[in-house]
Amino acid sequence: MPEDMGLGRLSAMVVAVVLLMKCINGEDPYQFFTWNVTYGDIYPLGVKQQGILINGQFPGPQITSVTNENLIVSVFNSLNEPFLLSWNGVQQRRNSWQDGVYGTNCPIPPGKNFTYVLQVKDQIGSFFYFPSLAFHKAAGGYGSIRIYSRSVIPVPFPPPAAEYTILAGDWFKQNHTDLRAILDGGHDLPFPDGILINGRGSNGYTFTVDQGKTYRFRISNVGLVTSLNFRIQGHKMLLVEVEGTHTLQNTYDSFDLHLGQSCSVLVTADQPARDYYIVFSTRFTSQVLTATSLLHYSNSAVSVVGPPPGGPTTEIDWSLNQARSIRQNLTASGPRPNPQGSYHYGMVNTTRTIRLANSAPVINGKKRYAVNSVSFVPADTPLKLADYYNIQGVFSLGSMPDNPTGSGGYLQTSVMAADFRAFFEVVFENSEDTVQSWHIDGHIFFVVGMDGGQWSPASRSNYNLRDGISRCTVQVYPRSWTALYMPLDNVGMWNVRSENWARQYLGQQFYLRVYSPANSLRDEYPIPKNALLCGRASGRKTRPF
């Protein structure tokens, strides 16, 4: 037999074996979505506004998936300006190419489309997607994401009779272009005009339940500038999940949900058959906004009785104590069968401490927001592309200091360098009088401590090193600090940002470049073949296949 024929047969056999193994093991399932993004007239607070719709819907279509599924989302931009979607809480394992923020992706031009290829790898929980550019979030364009456990993985509570999603957030009657112009002029936004519940104002939404049954409510704060408290008249709420982590199942009469955060509660319809208020109100604001929807018992003909129940307003200690009560269920399975508590984060030595202080400097005569004195300005080329193509002059590593500088604010495209598999201690320090909410893309972290005053190394003595909640968005109370432990287990370029969208827009963000020298598919996927190229990356090649 000629040698080349033998090699050919051997190659064919290898291919056949690989195909057979794929058939035996089975590839994770795929879901396909086609979304058309348009402007449309909406009236959420009774005033005509220009909203951003997805397939004609506000909020947009819900994504319902199962751990490890592949989500293929083809987005057609029918707006008159560039557009991007990002996926709050979806970790994009090895794949910051799909994160949908300007530091990683070129915007989708008007009249064009881009197909996101996501995998909800090793994740469960409640999340949402949103438009990440140009203050589009103030016009809508957001929707919910549910990630269910695989059927073989036990869930630490009985299956509910049904599930409901609530996307709640503050809202302005002004169009997003007007709000953007206010910020571009260096001014503060006005106070919001109201609160929306699933895109509607007060009493615009009804949730129907059967008496005696238990329901799961997945709730996200998709607002722009305010924390919220929610409660259900006459009913207790059992917290079971926060951003993909099963929690200790504590019972609450009301619950604070800060900007960008998501959670799940179980509610049992165990009261007399009638209608009850579901209430959302702003927290830590001098003026309190309130919106209601209805919990309707299916066997009831009686409307709500009495006024909506009141809730906390400006009480910080109340919220701080509640936040400390949110802990990880150590014995419950997460996305994998092993218990969540099998990862002993408190026994891992930290490799680096990062202290991040927010501020509100005036730069060049205009209001800005900053982290460690650096107010982020977008570059002319997405940072991930500049890094991949080694384009010089777009950003410099080390432009984000590890500690507060105490100096005046300045403008820079700030990127922090970090090593793959490092283990960070991150301390958010807030010397201002407003609550901060921080999100880190591509990772989860363990909340080990939060308290008032100034953080110091002595604060570590009170860290929770056993069952601190793991999540991706965390609040920092006024004149307080919050500390995290974070494994850097995901290579890529990741956005660290304020979830207060005015602060994010005016510079309170930066990028964390998690780097592996191995340049291996084991650590990071290659650039997508369909990656959009712009700025100084225009005209370059992606890859042939």
Side-chain angles (χ1 to χ4, degrees):
M1 181 190 304
E3 183 178 355
D4 57 347
M5 184 178 294
L7 290 173
R9 287 183 177 178
L10 180 60
S11 298
M13 289 176 61
V14 170
V15 170
V17 170
V18 170
L19 291 174
L20 179 62
M21 291 300 294
K22 281 192 172 185
C23 292
I24 293 172
N25 294 332
E27 191 174 6
D28 292 309
Y30 282 75
Q31 288 196 63
F32 296 86
F33 305 86
T34 300
W35 289 354
N36 186 30
V37 181
T38 62
Y39 290 124
D41 292 340
I42 57 174
Y43 302 80
L45 294 178
V47 176
K48 180 180 176 180
Q49 293 179 255
Q50 182 188 68
I52 292 179
L53 314 180
I54 299 179
N55 291 353
Q57 302 175 42
F58 169 58
Q62 178 171 278
I63 291 178
T64 301
S65 61
V66 176
T67 301
N68 293 343
E69 280 190 341
N70 298 282
L71 309 177
I72 313 302
V73 188
S74 186
V75 178
F76 289 81
N77 178 16
S78 297
L79 307 181
N80 59 4
E81 57 183 335
F83 183 80
L84 276 177
L85 281 175
S86 191
W87 319 87
N88 213 67
V90 176
Q91 292 175 20
Q92 314 288 2
R93 305 296 302 174
R94 299 186 290 165
N95 202 13
S96 66
W97 300 109
Q98 307 292 339
D99 203 30
V101 290
Y102 182 65
T104 58
N105 294 82
C106 292
I108 307 170
K112 303 295 184 180
N113 85 295
F114 176 73
T115 298
Y116 293 89
V117 180
L118 317 174
Q119 185 182 26
V120 288
K121 180 70 174 173
D122 290 336
Q123 286 195 262
I124 57 171
S126 309
F127 308 100
F128 63 93
Y129 61 86
F130 67 96
S132 62
L133 289 181
F135 222 66
H136 287 152
K137 191 179 180 185
Y142 52 73
S144 66
I145 302 172
R146 297 181 183 178
I147 308 175
Y148 287 94
S149 298
R150 291 171 290 164
S151 59
V152 296
I153 306 297
V155 175
F157 50 86
E163 296 194 14
Y164 288 115
T165 292
I166 298 181
L167 301 176
D170 53 36
W171 190 260
F172 294 84
K173 292 180 179 179
Q174 292 164 278
N175 286 338
H176 77 280
T177 50
D178 298 326
L179 297 174
R180 190 170 67 202
I182 292 171
L183 295 174
D184 288 341
H187 304 294
D188 290 326
L189 292 180
F191 192 71
D193 295 297
I195 296 173
L196 300 190
I197 300 172
N198 288 348
R200 303 177 186 177
S202 276
N203 299 331
Y205 214 94
T206 298
F207 302 90
T208 300
V209 296
D210 294 334
Q211 195 168 31
K213 294 183 178 180
T214 298
Y215 296 81
R216 181 175 183 172
F217 285 80
R218 297 175 182 257
I219 307 167
S220 297
N221 184 343
V222 295
L224 299 175
V225 296
T226 55
S227 300
L228 298 176
N229 177 271
F230 67 89
R231 49 211 179 266
I232 302 178
Q233 185 182 28
H235 292 73
K236 302 288 187 180
M237 301 181 296
L238 186 71
L239 183 69
V240 294
E241 177 252 335
V242 166
E243 294 161 25
T245 299
H246 290 129
T247 65
L248 285 181
Q249 296 181 9
N250 296 327
T251 299
Y252 299 94
D253 294 315
S254 71
F255 193 80
D256 280 354
L257 199 62
H258 303 275
L259 289 163
Q261 294 184 343
S262 300
C263 71
S264 290
V265 297
L266 298 181
V267 178
T268 300
D270 56 3
Q271 296 301 303
R274 62 178 178 86
D275 291 354
Y276 296 86
Y277 283 114
I278 299 175
V279 185
F280 284 83
S281 58
T282 55
R283 288 287 268 128
F284 318 111
T285 55
S286 56
Q287 175 187 349
V288 178
L289 296 174
T290 300
T292 58
S293 55
L294 296 179
L295 186 74
H296 170 69
Y297 278 54
S298 60
N299 59 338
S300 165
V302 181
S303 62
V304 289
V305 177
T313 54
T314 59
E315 302 88 346
I316 293 172
D317 287 346
W318 184 97
S319 188
L320 175 62
N321 289 332
Q322 183 180 84
R324 288 171 171 162
S325 74
I326 303 169
R327 299 192 173 196
Q328 189 174 184
N329 184 334
L330 296 179
T331 59
S333 297
R336 295 185 177 186
N338 49 304
Q340 293 179 146
S342 60
Y343 181 73
H344 301 286
Y345 68 90
M347 300 178 67
V348 181
N349 292 325
T350 58
T351 59
R352 185 171 161 192
T353 296
I354 308 296
R355 296 170 52 213
L356 301 172
N358 51 273
S359 59
V362 174
I363 303 175
N364 299 328
K366 293 184 177 182
K367 168 67 72 67
R368 296 285 300 185
Y369 295 99
V371 190
N372 289 356
S373 302
V374 187
S375 186
F376 182 86
V377 287
D380 59 6
T381 305
L383 310 180
K384 182 64 180 170
L385 292 177
D387 199 26
Y388 178 78
Y389 291 114
N390 195 26
I391 301 172
Q392 300 300 307
V394 175
F395 70 91
S396 59
L397 293 173
S399 48
M400 169 52 60
D402 280 13
N403 296 285
T405 65
S407 64
Y410 59 96
L411 304 175
Q412 190 157 1
T413 304
S414 41
V415 179
M416 178 177 288
D419 294 329
F420 182 43
R421 296 199 176 99
F423 194 81
F424 273 17
E425 175 188 35
V426 180
V427 183
F428 290 111
E429 301 180 8
N430 178 19
S431 62
E432 299 184 67
D433 292 326
T434 56
V435 175
Q436 305 294 313
S437 188
W438 286 93
H439 178 89
I440 302 178
D441 278 351
H443 295 79
I444 59 99
F445 46 73
F446 298 87
V447 182
V448 295
M450 53 175 64
D451 206 348
Q454 178 65 45
W455 179 88
S456 73
S459 304
R460 295 178 178 133
S461 63
N462 293 318
Y463 279 3
N464 177 359
L465 299 181
R466 183 174 181 271
D467 61 355
I469 193 67
S470 62
R471 61 189 315 167
C472 56
T473 310
V474 70
Q475 72 274 19
V476 190
Y477 292 101
R479 303 194 178 281
S480 300
W481 57 267
T482 295
L484 327 169
Y485 277 3
M486 186 172 78
L488 271 60
D489 56 359
N490 201 8
V491 173
M493 186 75 71
W494 303 108
N495 191 218
V496 181
R497 63 175 176 266
S498 172
E499 285 287 338
N500 180 310
W501 221 237
R503 299 183 76 105
Q504 180 270 353
Y505 182 81
L506 291 180
Q508 192 173 315
Q509 61 170 309
F510 66 95
Y511 281 82
L512 181 68
R513 179 192 185 247
V514 180
Y515 176 71
S516 168
N519 193 26
S520 166
L521 293 178
R522 180 193 62 190
D523 297 338
E524 186 176 27
Y525 292 144
I527 186 172
K529 181 180 178 181
N530 69 329
L532 299 175
L533 301 180
C534 58
R536 286 184 254 177
S538 297
R540 297 174 186 257
K541 303 293 185 182
T542 55
R543 58 186 176 91
F545 58 87

